[in-house]
Amino acid sequence: MICRGALLLVLLCASPAFAQATHSLELLNEASAEIIPRYLLQDPNGRSVTSEDFRGRFQLISFGYTYCPDICPTTLVEMAEILKQLGEDASRVQPIFISVDPERDTGKILKTYTEFFDLRILGLTASPALVRRAADNFKIRYAKVLEPGTAPDRYAVDHSAGMILLGPDGAFIKKFAFAMPVTNITEQLRNFIKSP
């Protein structure tokens, strides 16, 4: 005789909702597998920076732009709080903010912007072509949005949100969704840092 719990589990697994959730998880895993964790960009001083420059450290990366009204400042406040919560372990992490608005976000503007949140956050940018290549590698979508009747330089940039974690070997580990609680991200990051 099958117990009720086992029967309920069988029925749940056979439901369309379960199949949809499983399919969504498979799609998420496939998308993650396609991420190429590489970039060639410039720091605020114009020095070339690649993902290889941080071997031995975790990289916590977000994409955005300094004119962003809400998502980017929120993400950088969270990034700064993660560093604070990590304490001494924060030295094992390089936080990075990559601008998807290279036309307006000069090195000087990026430096001022990121340092406002935390001096350890490194702002990176480059030519539009190199920024596009980095975004494509990380499966980040972005596009200019110009409201009718406004000046050409008064645009917004619609972009993917969240933070991406690379390991000390430069490999992709995971993407943290936008608005995931900071304590959850910190706990996961600390576990990755502590694992052999």
Side-chain angles (χ1 to χ4, degrees):
M1 183 174 180
I2 300 175
C3 71
R4 284 185 193 171
L7 183 59
L8 183 60
L9 183 62
V10 169
L11 290 173
L12 249 166
C13 291
S15 73
F18 181 83
Q20 181 63 39
T22 303
H23 181 64
S24 297
L25 186 60
E26 287 170 359
L27 289 177
L28 180 64
N29 289 338
E30 286 174 17
S32 298
E34 294 172 2
I35 286 178
I36 303 167
R38 289 197 302 262
Y39 56 82
L40 169 60
L41 300 165
Q42 292 179 336
D43 71 9
N45 299 315
R47 183 180 67 90
S48 292
V49 176
T50 76
S51 47
E52 297 297 310
D53 291 338
F54 304 107
R55 285 283 177 156
R57 299 175 72 192
F58 290 86
Q59 296 174 62
L60 188 60
I61 302 170
S62 68
F63 285 76
Y65 67 116
T66 64
Y67 287 81
C68 183
D70 44 27
I71 291 174
C72 300
T74 299
T75 300
L76 292 184
V77 164
E78 292 173 348
M79 191 178 275
E81 182 58 25
I82 290 165
L83 295 172
K84 182 179 174 184
Q85 289 184 13
L86 283 173
E88 291 181 6
D89 287 336
S91 64
R92 299 277 316 278
V93 179
Q94 176 58 62
I96 296 170
F97 178 73
I98 299 175
S99 173
V100 292
D101 186 12
E103 294 172 30
R104 293 184 297 190
D105 287 346
T106 64
K108 184 178 179 181
I109 289 171
L110 263 178
K111 183 176 174 63
T112 302
Y113 185 75
T114 57
E115 287 183 352
F116 174 80
F117 298 97
D118 193 292
L119 295 174
R120 295 168 286 188
I121 300 173
L122 177 62
L124 299 177
T125 189
S127 68
L130 287 176
V131 169
R132 175 63 68 183
R133 181 177 297 160
D136 288 348
N137 282 350
F138 284 87
K139 305 303 176 203
I140 298 294
R141 176 195 52 77
Y142 70 95
K144 280 186 183 180
V145 179
L146 183 61
E147 295 293 327
T150 58
D153 63 339
R154 304 282 294 179
Y155 57 85
V157 182
D158 183 28
H159 63 89
S160 304
M163 290 183 259
I164 297 166
L165 182 64
L166 304 186
D169 59 354
F172 170 76
I173 295 178
K174 75 176 300 177
K175 181 171 183 180
F176 299 108
F178 178 70
M180 177 182 280
V182 165
T183 51
N184 290 5
I185 298 174
T186 305
E187 183 180 354
Q188 291 184 52
L189 192 44
R190 185 175 281 115
N191 288 337
F192 286 125
I193 290 169
K194 298 294 186 188
S195 66

